[in-house]
């Protein structure tokens, strides 16, 4: 894949440019991510904050994660599409939601986490790292 690659929310009110390859792409099977994605898991691309340029208004929402850390999320206030998650104590790291990229070919998770809460019908591909809970 060639970088930069662009992304946007469903309505186009928030756009962004990903300047470089993600450090890691993760599929999370926890119940919270199932709620978020309305599917069996949620995809996250771990990137450096300075590797993404955002445009448009975003709102924030947060909750306390099982680890005790704050899990904050940004989203488009018009269509509600999640753009990225972050831990406020680690602002240099962004957990980008890559399903809204214009080229989704980079969405090839090499790690599956929280498989202890995985839907029984989903089969995890061979040759990926698997964790019962968090990394």
């Amino acid at each position: 894949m060639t970088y930069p690659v662009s992304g946007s929310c469903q309505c186009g009110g928030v756009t962004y440019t990903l300047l470089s390859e993600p450090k890691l792409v993760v599929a999370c099977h926890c119940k919270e991510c199932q709620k978020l994605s309305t599917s069996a898991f949620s995809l996250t691309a771990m990137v450096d904050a300075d590797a993404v340029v955002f445009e448009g208004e975003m709102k924030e929402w947060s909750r306390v994660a099982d680890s005790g850390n704050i899990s904050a999320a940004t989203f488009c206030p018009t269509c509600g599409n999640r753009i990225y998650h972050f831990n406020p104590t680690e602002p240099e790291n962004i957990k980008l939601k890559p399903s809204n990229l214009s080229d989704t070919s980079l969405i090839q998770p090499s790690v599956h986490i929280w498989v202890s809460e995985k839907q029984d019908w989903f089969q995890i591909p061979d040759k990926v790292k698997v964790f019962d809970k968090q990394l």
Side-chain angles (χ1 to χ4, degrees), residues 69-114:
N69 293 328
I70 299 298
S71 177
T74 64
F75 61 94
C76 172
T78 302
C79 68
N81 230 179
R82 291 277 177 101
I83 306 300
Y84 68 90
H85 291 193
F86 66 100
N87 179 339
T89 65
E90 298 176 7
E92 68 280 4
N93 296 312
I94 288 181
K95 302 167 188 172
L96 190 68
K97 304 314 286 178
S99 296
N100 50 31
L101 285 167
S102 58
D103 180 354
T104 56
S105 65
L106 75 82
I107 306 173
Q108 298 178 22
S110 58
V111 176
H112 286 251
I113 61 174
W114 283 96

Side-chain angles (χ1 to χ4, degrees), residues 1 16 41-42 49 56 58 63-64 66 86 106-107 109 112 119 123-125 131-132 135:
M1 166 175 265
Y16 65 89
F41 54 87
S42 178
M58 290 187 276
R63 67 177 178 85
V64 177
D66 287 346
F86 66 100
L106 75 82
I107 306 173
H112 286 251
Q119 294 294 316
Q123 299 298 313
I124 295 176
F131 295 87
D132 277 346
L135 286 172

Side-chain angles (χ1 to χ4, degrees), residues 27-37 39-42 63 66 113-119 132 134:
C28 181
H29 297 265
C30 79
K31 296 298 183 191
E32 291 296 324
C33 281
Q34 290 178 37
K35 287 180 187 180
L36 163 66
S37 67
S39 188
F41 54 87
S42 178
R63 67 177 178 85
D66 287 346
I113 61 174
W114 283 96
V115 297
S116 60
E117 298 183 2
K118 178 183 82 60
Q119 294 294 316
D132 277 346
Q134 203 62 27

